[in-house]
Amino acid sequence: MAAAQAYPVRVNASLDAPLSRWLWLVKWILVIPHYIVLAFLWLAFVVLTAAAMVAIVVTGRYPRAIFEFNVGVLRWTWRVQYYAIGAFGTDRYPPFTLAEDPSIPQYIIVGLFTGSGMWFAWQYGEQQHSWAGLGLIGILAVIAAVMLLVTGRYPRQMFDFVLGLNRWVLRVAGYAGLMTDQYPPFRLDMGGEDPGTLAAPPAAGLGGLRPA
């Protein structure tokens, strides 16, 4: 894999098949417990990111424990979003775990993708740190879910596009969380396999975000 294609934040996913035609209609209810937990986890994410910033200034290093926690929050968020409004790409209920399961231009772009709720709330300190609002990702995921309901199939090209948008969002999240100094590329990498991933892909249906 060419070095220019790799980025430290790597997001992989596989489209589960077959998917239920109707389950997506109630997934937003099923993930409410996750959103409650994630509200507290994102609050901790913001506080720990501020602590990591101080540590970086003083020691030149990002504390490993904080890094592992923050990556875990991103993994958890991605799995919930992949199950629900961020993709509807699997019917496997996301686990309650931080562990991996086998005002810059970027913020403006990601705000359009996500409906801006997560990014502007984060910037102004409100306790709202999920993919708030539909945005382009949510709209496309709902369209795909309706097509699944009608035809019994999730359009593959739409899945690849939605995953590429989510991948862009999570790369910016990793950068904004100070977990990498490498500026996210203005690049839409579509498809299940992240071009920066050299290891085997994660288990089917679950997205994996791995530190470099």
Side-chain angles (χ1 to χ4, degrees):
M1 192 66 63
Q5 292 181 301
Y7 188 73
V9 179
R10 300 165 192 168
V11 183
N12 295 299
S14 298
L15 180 61
D16 271 356
L19 289 170
S20 169
R21 291 191 179 194
W22 60 268
L23 184 59
W24 64 274
L25 292 169
V26 298
K27 283 182 176 179
W28 67 275
I29 299 175
L30 299 178
V31 296
I32 287 176
H34 279 281
Y35 284 135
I36 293 173
V37 175
L38 284 169
F40 291 99
L41 290 177
W42 273 100
L43 177 60
F45 182 101
V46 173
V47 173
L48 290 176
T49 298
M53 183 185 302
V54 174
I56 292 170
V57 171
V58 174
T59 69
R61 301 183 63 182
Y62 195 118
R64 186 70 193 184
I66 296 179
F67 178 85
E68 294 291 351
F69 176 84
N70 283 355
V71 169
V73 173
L74 292 179
R75 285 188 182 124
W76 192 329
T77 303
W78 165 230
R79 285 194 293 258
V80 172
Q81 292 306 115
Y82 187 68
Y83 173 79
I85 195 64
F88 293 121
T90 182
D91 290 337
R92 297 170 58 188
Y93 194 72
F96 285 83
T97 177
L98 295 172
E100 180 180 8
D101 196 328
S103 58
I104 61 175
Q106 289 282 15
Y107 288 174
I108 297 174
I109 293 172
V110 167
L112 295 174
F113 291 171
T114 65
S116 78
M118 169 180 150
W119 297 98
F120 292 107
W122 190 354
Q123 287 298 97
Y124 293 103
E126 298 177 12
Q127 296 181 21
Q128 181 183 355
H129 305 291
S130 62
W131 271 221
L134 285 181
L136 180 59
I137 292 175
I139 292 171
L140 291 175
V142 170
I143 292 173
V146 172
M147 295 180 70
L148 172 65
L149 177 65
V150 174
T151 68
R153 297 185 62 185
Y154 194 121
R156 184 71 202 194
Q157 290 182 329
M158 188 170 291
F159 169 80
D160 290 342
F161 185 59
V162 168
L163 181 57
L165 296 177
N166 276 290
R167 184 171 284 136
W168 196 321
V169 169
L170 287 164
R171 286 173 178 169
V172 176
Y175 177 80
L178 308 179
M179 289 179 280
T180 177
D181 290 332
Q182 189 173 336
Y183 193 74
F186 286 89
R187 188 177 72 229
L188 186 64
D189 290 320
M190 298 189 293
E193 185 73 7
D194 193 302
T197 299
L198 302 180
L206 293 180
L209 189 152
R210 303 173 179 175

